[in-house]
Amino acid sequence: MTQRFTEINELSGQILKHAFEIHTALGPGLLESAYKECLAYRLNKDGLFVEKEKPMPLIFEEIKLDQGYRLDLLVNDKIVVELKTVDCFTDVHIAQTLTYMRLGGFHLGLLINFKVKSLKDGIKRLIL
C-alpha cells in the first residue's frame, strides 16, 4: 500500500468519523447547509484545511466558465465531500460528484446523505 493511498484512506476515515458524530448528535432533520458548517468546523478543529463552496471552473478548449460549479467541501486539497439531505441518492448526485472530481483532478469523493435513519446507509465512496 502506498503512502499516498494510506494518507487518503486515513483522511476519509477522519471525515466519516466526524460525519457520524454530527449525524448522531443532530439527527436527520436539518438543512444541508447546517451539516456542512458543522462538518467543516469539526475538520478545521482537527487541523485539516477545509474549503467550503469551493468554485470549480469548467475549462473547454479556450473557454473558461468560472460560475455555477461549487464543491460543498474540499478537504486538504485531496477529497471532495458533497453533502445531501435527500430521500435517496440519484444518478445525478453521483454524476455531480464524479464531475467535480474529474474537473479538479481529485481521486476520491465522499457523497454523504444526512437525511437517513442510519448514516452508514447514506455514504457513497467514489474513486477515479
Side-chain angles (χ1 to χ4, degrees):
M1 193 175 341
T2 67
Q3 180 180 0
R4 182 173 171 266
F5 177 76
T6 301
E7 177 188 352
I8 296 262
N9 209 31
E10 288 175 2
L11 184 56
S12 69
Q14 195 172 2
I15 294 165
L16 292 174
K17 176 188 89 151
H18 287 299
F20 276 103
E21 291 169 352
I22 291 164
H23 188 266
T24 298
L26 301 177
L30 304 175
L31 296 173
E32 177 185 312
S33 58
Y35 297 111
K36 182 181 351 179
E37 289 299 322
C38 292
L39 186 55
Y41 167 78
R42 276 292 194 77
L43 296 171
N44 275 319
K45 196 172 170 184
D46 270 3
L48 301 176
F49 179 63
V50 179
E51 294 177 84
K52 295 184 292 186
E53 296 294 318
K54 175 159 177 70
M56 183 57 50
L58 172 65
I59 301 169
F60 177 75
E61 295 178 3
E62 292 87 31
I63 301 170
K64 181 178 180 185
L65 303 171
D66 288 319
Q67 69 280 1
Y69 301 101
R70 295 191 180 276
L71 305 174
D72 284 339
L73 299 174
L74 181 62
V75 181
N76 277 16
D77 289 318
K78 290 180 174 48
I79 299 179
V80 172
V81 180
E82 280 298 306
L83 304 178
K84 302 294 177 198
T85 53
V86 294
D87 290 330
C88 62
F89 289 133
T90 65
D91 291 342
V92 171
H93 298 129
I94 295 166
Q96 174 190 28
T97 306
L98 288 170
T99 297
Y100 291 157
M101 291 166 63
R102 272 193 291 281
L103 289 174
F106 306 111
H107 300 290
L108 180 64
L110 296 172
L111 182 55
I112 305 172
N113 182 14
F114 279 91
K115 191 179 177 184
V116 290
K117 185 175 180 180
S118 175
L119 192 62
K120 69 179 173 56
D121 298 326
I123 297 170
K124 285 215 179 286
R125 184 179 168 108
L126 303 167
I127 300 171
L128 282 182

